[in-house]
Amino acid sequence: MDQQTEKLELAKRLSEKGQRDFKIIQKALGGDQSAYATLLDMYRESIYYLVLKMVITDEYAEDLTIEIFGKAFSNLHQYQPTYAFSTWLYRIATNNCIDFIRKQRVSTTSIDNAFEDADGDKFYIQLKEGGLNPEEKAIKKQKNKHLREVVKKLKPHYRKLIELRYFKELSYDEIAQELELQ
């Protein structure tokens, strides 16, 4: 039994979806460019979201998705219909993401460890806190609530000005446009 006949026999064991994919793959391998587009349309979104879960950022997910389809299409002749095409494609995607993540790893050091300078003197890294502490957040929230209550008591025209400038943070030009004062 030659390799092509063996593939056809294996494909008969696949689900309807698997058999459909196998037929499209055979067309692609036969030179039908629209078959590649069909496979891309069918699986692009699911591969993208699989990749996005692994690499988090949109930009990397887009690039990796394109790279994955490039690898899959250039190795399409190696696909064996023992499993569904989607399984084969997901395996390529997963492996590609794992390789990408490995390349992205950066060596890390604990900020609790002492460092030595060229003279052998030890020093520690002191980091400043980046935001408000819980008490400051609560005070800020109370001030904002109080300010909004005061603004509600203003005449409608003045209230609108304050809301646009300080709550919506519009520029004076934007306020003038909003209130049609130009």
Side-chain angles (χ1 to χ4, degrees), residues 30-95:
D32 183 353
Q33 294 299 310
S34 67
Y36 287 105
T38 302
L39 289 171
L40 183 65
D41 287 343
M42 289 169 40
Y43 290 103
R44 185 188 181 292
E45 192 172 315
S46 59
I47 292 297
Y48 170 78
Y49 285 111
L50 171 74
V51 171
L52 185 61
K53 285 181 189 176
M54 295 180 76
V55 298
I56 310 295
T57 64
D58 229 10
E59 184 180 327
Y60 288 144
E62 283 287 336
D63 292 344
L64 287 170
T65 299
I66 293 166
E67 188 178 308
I68 289 161
F69 277 100
K71 284 182 180 180
F73 290 163
S74 65
N75 294 303
L76 202 53
H77 62 281
Q78 294 178 352
Y79 168 68
Q80 295 293 321
T82 308
Y83 301 101
F85 174 71
S86 58
T87 304
W88 184 74
L89 187 59
Y90 291 151
R91 176 56 39 209
I92 292 172
T94 303
N95 289 340

Side-chain angles (χ1 to χ4, degrees), residues 87-172:
T87 304
W88 184 74
L89 187 59
Y90 291 151
R91 176 56 39 209
I92 292 172
T94 303
N95 289 340
N96 206 46
C97 287
I98 290 169
D99 290 345
F100 174 79
I101 292 167
R102 282 184 185 141
K103 290 176 189 173
Q104 296 298 311
R105 284 195 181 142
V106 178
S107 64
T108 58
T109 301
S110 173
I111 60 172
D112 295 329
N113 294 339
F115 295 91
E116 285 188 29
D117 62 12
D119 297 329
D121 296 330
K122 291 187 177 189
F123 65 94
Y124 293 89
I125 295 176
Q126 296 294 323
L127 299 177
K128 292 183 180 181
E129 291 185 32
L132 302 175
N133 66 36
E135 181 182 2
E136 292 169 331
K137 286 179 184 177
I139 291 170
K140 184 177 180 179
K141 189 175 180 180
Q142 287 174 347
K143 283 182 180 179
N144 282 339
K145 183 179 176 185
H146 181 70
L147 182 60
R148 287 186 185 273
E149 289 172 8
V150 170
V151 169
K152 281 182 186 178
K153 294 176 184 175
L154 293 174
K155 292 182 180 179
H157 179 71
Y158 296 116
R159 182 179 342 122
K160 184 74 173 173
L161 287 171
I162 298 295
E163 287 172 349
L164 292 173
R165 178 68 181 138
Y166 295 102
F167 297 141
K168 291 189 176 181
E169 297 181 358
L170 297 181
S171 70
Y172 293 116

